[in-house]
Amino acid sequence: MDNLRLLIVDDVEDNRLVLKAICRKLENFEIKEATNGLEAVEITQNWHPDIVLMDIMMPVMDGYEASKVIKKLHPEIVVIAVTAVIDPNMQKNMSEIGVDIYITKPIDKELILFKIQSIGSSMLLKQGEGKLLSKKDALNPFNSDIRSFKIIFDITDTESMMDFGMYLFDQYNARDVVACSKLDPIIELFYMLMRQGTRNAQRLSIIIEESYDELYITIKFENAIILEQKIVEIVEKFKSDFIIKENVLCARLKRHFEEKKSDESKIENKTEIKSETKPEIKTVVSKQEAVKSKDAKEVRAVASEEKVLLRQSFTKKTSSVDYVSDLGGDILDEILDLASFDEEWREKLSTFEEEPTDENLIDFADRVLGAYSHTISTLFEFTALAYALSSLGVFLKDRASLVVEDSAKTKTLIMLLENLGYDLVSWRKHIFELQDTQDIHYLDSSFFSSCMQIEGIMSNKEIDVDDDNEMEFF
């Protein structure tokens, strides 16, 4: 079959050279490079890579936004995020857009080869490679009532390690799961176990037994081993799902980590709600409404004050259930009525795509972006979002003629606005309809970043936001 395609995305040339030098050792791979997220999206449209190695912090379009667009347009592409830090918020957001796995800096070249080759082997397996099966009694101590066949890996060298990594990735990537926060540490753990077990020309065997819900993995080492501290720390996180005795390690893994939830069922631990009906909306005037009434002019404040609004910090988490229950009924109705603009968003954008004229772009900015920003400006907690949309609308109207003169910019703008529209639908749905978010501000910085990046791309400028450490950029 044809070689697999790997796209390396990093704005630093030295980093690309290092990654390319490492990845040249991969078998059956063709490699291309991109210097930022926007370039990666464009290359993806024409070249269709199988795997994208995506740096996160980049100018023009960062890796988070680029990954979101790529996974939305081509969900079959495996995106590997390259980042120096993985914090819980980043991990959650990357998981939700479909990032499959991580590479952390400083880069372990053997680990990156292991992960990429395992993924690639999973893809090549679709041509059909049988696995060795045997019929023996159950080896694992967790469950004796399992199917009689076993999958056996004889680990003697790097190639056989890749085979096992491919198997693990294939088991979970083939299912409808949110994998990156669960699968990545498991792959890394088994990689370290195999690397330690095969040192000094030793070998180990991995025997896999299966039930419908679980995988049981038994590792037999040639000799008793003392586990490295990092391995011990990871094993401890899995608690009773790992048992170690002398030269044998037994592991129990769920076949389904966390099934992807549909928009209708994605509810996060709403135990305080006794039924599936929405909480009763209070009709009294809330403190939030009083503040909004008093400070309504802040939405139209001068630029310097609006920049302060963009950096206001909501350090206290507010769940959507608590927030909506404190809103007035009229305000909530206005937000829910924004659903009527979803179709208009698509229609106006489609009209602009068919006839890319100044008038059609200005009409989209006024009729759609303007309506959204005007309605959202009634919510004090989302003044930053209202400003970002309003600012974007003004920018597009001012630059309409310059944008439509460049067909490439027009095409890119349509793609980015379409993506922004989907995100706004998700924002409205999860906060005000499903009320299933634990923090109503979970998308604030993402929206602001998206709007600013659209402006930057359309004006050929890199975005330089002062005090960006106050915002959650990726």
Side-chain angles (χ1 to χ4, degrees):
M1 65 175 293
D2 294 335
N3 285 340
L4 296 174
R5 295 179 174 182
L6 171 66
L7 177 62
I8 296 174
V9 189
D10 200 302
D11 61 307
V12 180
E13 184 178 6
D14 288 346
N15 291 346
R16 295 197 307 275
L17 290 173
V18 170
L19 289 170
K20 194 170 182 179
I22 293 172
C23 294
R24 281 198 187 101
K25 298 179 181 179
L26 294 167
E27 296 181 3
N28 303 312
F29 273 91
E30 180 182 348
I31 301 173
K32 278 194 176 184
E33 303 174 41
T35 59
N36 57 63
L38 178 61
E39 188 177 335
V41 172
E42 293 171 347
I43 291 175
T44 298
Q45 291 293 84
N46 299 319
W47 191 56
H48 302 293
D50 299 286
I51 301 173
V52 177
L53 202 57
M54 180 75 74
D55 186 35
I56 300 302
M57 297 298 295
M58 292 184 293
V60 184
M61 177 186 283
D62 61 38
Y64 175 75
E65 292 296 328
S67 298
K68 183 162 61 174
V69 174
I70 289 171
K71 292 297 287 188
K72 188 168 290 183
L73 296 175
H74 306 283
E76 74 281 359
I77 292 177
V78 174
V79 176
I80 302 176
V82 181
T83 180
V85 180
I86 302 178
D87 61 64
N89 286 332
M90 175 185 177
Q91 194 173 54
K92 179 177 181 293
N93 289 330
M94 296 298 277
S95 297
E96 288 179 349
I97 66 173
V99 171
D100 299 278
I101 207 161
Y102 295 114
I103 297 294
T104 56
K105 299 177 181 178
I107 290 174
D108 180 335
K109 64 180 181 180
E110 293 181 358
L111 180 58
I112 193 172
L113 286 172
F114 174 75
K115 290 184 176 182
I116 296 176
Q117 193 70 66
S118 296
I119 296 166
S121 298
S122 169
M123 295 173 174
L124 294 172
L125 184 66
K126 293 179 181 179
Q127 276 199 324
E129 285 289 337
K131 297 184 177 70
L132 178 61
L133 305 179
S134 61
K135 293 185 178 181
K136 298 180 180 178
D137 294 334
L139 294 176
N140 76 87
F142 303 105
N143 184 5
S144 60
D145 185 20
I146 58 175
R147 287 179 283 178
S148 59
F149 69 82
K150 297 172 175 59
I151 300 170
I152 300 174
F153 291 87
D154 191 18
I155 308 298
T156 57
D157 52 25
T158 301
E159 187 175 287
S160 54
M161 290 168 64
M162 298 294 183
D163 288 341
F164 178 68
M166 171 274 296
Y167 167 81
L168 276 183
F169 182 81
D170 189 54
Q171 283 295 300
Y172 293 103
N173 193 53
R175 291 174 168 77
D176 189 22
V177 297
V178 178
C180 72
S181 63
K182 301 287 187 177
L183 176 59
D184 191 70
I186 287 175
I187 287 182
E188 193 154 341
L189 171 60
F190 282 110
Y191 167 73
M192 289 188 291
L193 285 168
M194 290 186 293
R195 185 170 62 178
Q196 183 173 348
T198 54
R199 283 176 183 163
N200 302 320
Q202 296 189 75
R203 60 195 298 164
L204 58 93
S205 297
I206 299 179
I207 303 97
I208 299 171
E209 302 166 302
E210 302 179 354
S211 69
Y212 177 76
D213 295 319
E214 296 177 323
L215 295 176
Y216 307 100
I217 300 176
T218 300
I219 302 180
K220 291 185 176 181
F221 301 91
E222 276 193 343
N223 303 303
I225 63 170
I226 299 175
L227 297 180
E228 297 171 355
Q229 182 59 34
K230 187 174 182 180
I231 297 177
V232 173
E233 291 173 358
I234 297 178
V235 167
E236 286 177 348
K237 294 180 182 179
F238 292 94
K239 299 180 179 178
S240 61
D241 289 329
F242 275 74
I243 297 175
I244 304 172
K245 292 183 179 180
E246 296 184 358
N247 67 326
V248 176
L249 180 145
C250 299
R252 173 173 55 189
L253 306 180
K254 296 291 184 183
R255 292 180 69 89
H256 303 272
F257 289 138
E258 179 186 352
E259 293 188 3
K260 286 181 180 175
K261 302 168 187 173
S262 65
D263 288 342
E264 291 74 20
S265 63
K266 189 178 178 183
I267 300 178
E268 297 177 8
N269 194 26
K270 292 168 64 174
T271 54
E272 72 277 12
I273 299 177
K274 303 303 181 182
S275 69
E276 295 182 359
T277 58
K278 295 180 181 178
E280 181 181 353
I281 305 301
K282 297 178 181 179
T283 56
V284 298
V285 177
S286 67
K287 293 180 180 179
Q288 295 170 338
E289 289 179 275
V291 172
K292 288 195 288 287
S293 175
K294 180 180 178 181
D295 298 326
K297 292 182 180 179
E298 289 189 357
V299 178
R300 293 288 181 262
V302 296
S304 60
E305 294 177 35
E306 289 176 326
K307 290 179 181 178
V308 174
L309 282 177
L310 291 175
R311 288 162 174 78
Q312 62 183 323
S313 176
F314 297 92
T315 56
K316 183 179 179 181
K317 284 189 175 182
T318 303
S319 72
S320 53
V321 171
D322 293 337
Y323 178 65
V324 171
S325 68
D326 203 33
L327 280 179
D330 292 340
I331 295 176
L332 179 62
D333 288 340
E334 287 183 25
I335 297 299
L336 295 179
D337 285 343
L338 285 174
S340 63
F341 286 96
D342 295 347
E343 185 61 32
E344 187 165 3
W345 185 297
R346 291 189 290 271
E347 288 177 357
K348 295 293 184 185
L349 205 54
S350 178
T351 299
F352 175 62
E353 184 175 16
E354 294 171 2
E355 297 181 48
T357 63
D358 297 16
E359 293 76 15
N360 286 337
L361 182 55
I362 292 171
D363 188 45
F364 174 87
D366 283 333
R367 296 286 298 275
V368 182
L369 287 177
Y372 253 96
S373 61
H374 176 74
T375 301
I376 295 174
S377 69
T378 62
L379 303 173
F380 176 77
E381 293 78 8
F382 295 101
T383 47
L385 173 56
Y387 170 75
L389 294 174
S390 176
S391 174
L392 178 60
V394 172
F395 172 85
L396 292 179
K397 288 190 289 185
D398 289 343
R399 298 294 185 101
S401 59
L402 295 177
V403 172
V404 299
E405 288 174 0
D406 188 333
S407 60
K409 278 189 178 181
T410 299
K411 182 179 179 182
T412 300
L413 177 62
I414 291 169
M415 176 186 66
L416 294 174
L417 289 175
E418 184 178 48
N419 191 54
L420 178 62
Y422 288 135
D423 287 344
L424 284 169
V425 171
S426 178
W427 169 81
R428 188 190 69 242
K429 193 165 190 174
H430 287 291
I431 294 177
F432 301 96
E433 295 179 26
L434 298 176
Q435 300 174 29
D436 61 1
T437 62
Q438 295 304 303
D439 183 6
I440 60 173
H441 298 292
Y442 75 111
L443 282 178
D444 284 7
S445 60
S446 178
F447 278 127
F448 176 59
S449 177
S450 296
C451 292
M452 292 292 286
Q453 288 192 58
I454 291 173
E455 293 185 25
I457 292 168
M458 291 300 107
S459 58
N460 297 323
K461 293 181 180 179
E462 295 183 8
I463 301 303
D464 183 14
V465 181
D466 295 332
D467 302 321
D468 60 2
N469 60 319
E470 296 180 20
M471 307 191 71
E472 188 183 75
F473 287 102
F474 293 93

